[in-house]
């Protein structure tokens, strides 16, 4: 066992989180992660309505009796989803862990805390992590520039971001972005984190509810095969490199605005990638860590492998170095 402030506070066996993933964070994957002893997150907004989220929570409970959480991604939008109703479903279902992301978790904290829910807030900068800690969240997940999805606009990779955050954060902190194996977990712990959060690596597991072609595309891809879209709009997202994402980058670099790429980046189109297995069909999130993903294990085998190898690295590889130094 690797016991950390994170495992103790959030009541899970292993210091590993499967972060919220639009279209991917569904019952099958979340339950498999929970059964492995790590912390899985259903993704609230993958469900079209709050009622559908209630059903997905029930479906997950049919597959596991272990703790799992729900991700609530709060993004600025012209037509926002009914966040308060999703929040109420989470509370009414008796969920005890929530991952917030996207913007200030403050408006939701009193209700979550009144219901005894622990909030893990995911952010991409030290200043936002400090702000969330001051607001009273129970844990921080800090996402470096390597990550899939939204890395923010500061472009600070994990090696510095995690260490810088560790200097300011006193509550449990999980390092995110670019983690996929035991080497990453040990590095994160060495930098001052209490665990790791992974998205891309969990996408590429047997239980991940996406087309096999996409899992194989991730295994085949290199760390350089991602694009940063929406940079000129200051809403950067890291996605798989394909003809669609490269066209989006080109249009925006040439001075185009969001309406010029709206059809190319539509969520519905991205969703067909996972359903039909054509990696060129639209925009889909993936991180640079794909360059070190070489297989498609079950989520349980993955977590077991990471924890076992991490202990081996700490005890044998690093321990041996210590022995040699002290001789
Ligand atoms: C397919 C996919 C969808 C994602 N969707 C969301 C989301 O809806 N909300 C969120 O907070 N993070 C989302 N993320 C980010 C992950 O939760 C996690 O922070 C990120 O993947 C970590 O970086 P990694 O992919 O290098 O492990 C998504 C990531 C992926 C790969």
């Amino acid at each position: 066992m690797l016991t950390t402030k994170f495992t103790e506070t959030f009541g899970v066996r292993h210091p590993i989180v499967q972060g919220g993933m639009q279209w991917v964070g569904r019952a099958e994957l979340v339950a498999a992660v929970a059964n492995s002893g790590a912390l899985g997150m259903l993704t609230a907004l993958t469900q079209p309505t709050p009622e559908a989220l209630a059903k997905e929570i029930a479906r997950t409970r049919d597959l596991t009796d272990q703790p799992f959480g729900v991700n609530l991604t709060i993004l600025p939008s012209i037509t926002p989803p009914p966040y308060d109703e999703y929040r109420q479903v989470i509370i009414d279902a008796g969920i005890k862990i929530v991952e917030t992301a996207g913007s200030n978790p403050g408006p939701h904290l009193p209700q979550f805390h009144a219901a005894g829910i622990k909030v893990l807030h995911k952010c991409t900068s030290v200043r936002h992590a400090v702000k969330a800690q001051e607001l009273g969240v129970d844990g921080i997940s800090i996402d470096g520039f390597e990550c899939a999805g939204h890395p923010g606009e500061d472009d600070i990779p994990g090696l510095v971001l995690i260490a810088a955050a560790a200097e300011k954060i006193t509550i449990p902190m999980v390092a995110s972005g670019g983690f996929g194996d035991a080497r990453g977990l040990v590095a994160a712990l060495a930098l001052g984190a209490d665990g790791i959060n992974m998205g891309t690596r969990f996408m590429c597991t047997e239980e991940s509810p996406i087309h096999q072609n996409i899992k194989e595309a991730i295994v085949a891809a290199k760390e350089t095969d991602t694009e940063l879209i929406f940079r000129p709009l200051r809403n950067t997202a890291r996605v798989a490199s394909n003809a669609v994402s490269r066209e989006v980058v080109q249009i925006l670099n040439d001075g185009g605005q969001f309406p010029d790429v709206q059809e190319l980046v539509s969520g519905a189109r991205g969703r067909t990638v996972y359903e039909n297995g054509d990696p060129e069909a639209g925009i889909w999130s993936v991180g640079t860590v794909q360059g070190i993903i070489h297989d498609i294990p079950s989520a349980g085998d993955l977590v077991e492998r990471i924890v076992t190898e991490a202990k081996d690295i700490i005890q044998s590889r690093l321990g041996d170095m210590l022995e040699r130094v002290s001789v």
Side-chain angles (χ1 to χ4, degrees), residues 19-22 71 73 101 122 143 147-148 176-178 197-200 274:
M21 286 185 276
Q22 184 66 338
N71 166 289
T73 303
K122 190 167 61 184
D143 232 343
C147 72
S176 178
N197 176 55
M198 305 192 296
T200 303
Y274 303 130

Side-chain angles (χ1 to χ4, degrees), residues 24-247:
V24 184
R26 297 169 190 267
E28 294 78 8
L29 176 60
V30 174
V33 173
N35 286 332
S36 78
L39 178 58
M41 299 283 178
L42 282 178
T43 308
L45 301 184
T46 291
Q47 302 304 322
T49 60
E51 297 73 36
L53 174 62
K55 289 198 181 117
E56 193 69 358
I57 292 172
R59 210 162 71 81
T60 313
R61 289 217 172 102
D62 287 341
L63 300 172
T64 184
D65 58 2
Q66 297 298 305
F68 62 90
V70 177
N71 166 289
L72 188 63
T73 303
I74 314 148
L75 288 174
S77 150
I78 304 162
T79 51
Y83 289 118
D84 293 358
E85 291 174 34
Y86 278 99
R87 185 185 67 219
Q88 198 56 45
V89 162
I90 293 169
I91 292 170
D92 292 345
I95 291 290
K96 290 296 166 216
I97 300 171
V98 162
E99 177 189 63
T100 51
S103 66
N104 182 355
H108 301 277
L109 276 182
Q111 291 88 343
F112 282 141
H113 279 162
I117 294 173
K118 293 212 158 69
V119 175
L120 180 65
H121 182 65
K122 190 167 61 184
C123 52
T124 58
S125 70
V126 176
R127 64 188 182 284
H128 288 141
V130 168
K131 170 96 187 296
Q133 176 170 259
E134 285 166 2
L135 282 171
V137 301
D138 305 280
I140 294 291
S141 190
I142 188 118
D143 232 343
F145 187 50
E146 299 89 337
C147 72
H150 292 278
E153 308 305 322
D154 293 347
D155 303 359
I156 308 295
L159 198 56
V160 169
L161 185 68
I162 298 157
E167 291 178 8
K168 301 263 169 62
I169 298 302
T170 52
I171 57 178
M173 184 179 82
V174 167
S176 178
F179 294 99
D181 57 29
R183 298 171 297 180
L185 173 56
V186 176
L189 297 175
L191 289 169
D194 305 297
I196 53 171
N197 176 55
M198 305 192 296
T200 303
R201 178 65 270 203
F202 278 117
M203 262 179 114
C204 212
T205 57
E206 283 171 9
E207 295 88 350
S208 154
I210 63 172
H211 200 286
Q212 182 71 11
N213 287 359
I214 303 305
K215 299 178 192 178
E216 287 170 12
I218 294 173
V219 169
K222 298 192 294 293
E223 60 276 17
T224 45
D225 295 334
T226 69
E227 302 292 334
L228 293 167
I229 59 169
F230 302 150
R231 286 242 94 168
L233 307 179
R234 293 192 60 77
N235 185 26
T236 301
R238 188 182 294 282
V239 300
S241 182
N242 61 18
V244 184
S245 60
R246 289 190 292 272
E247 189 180 345

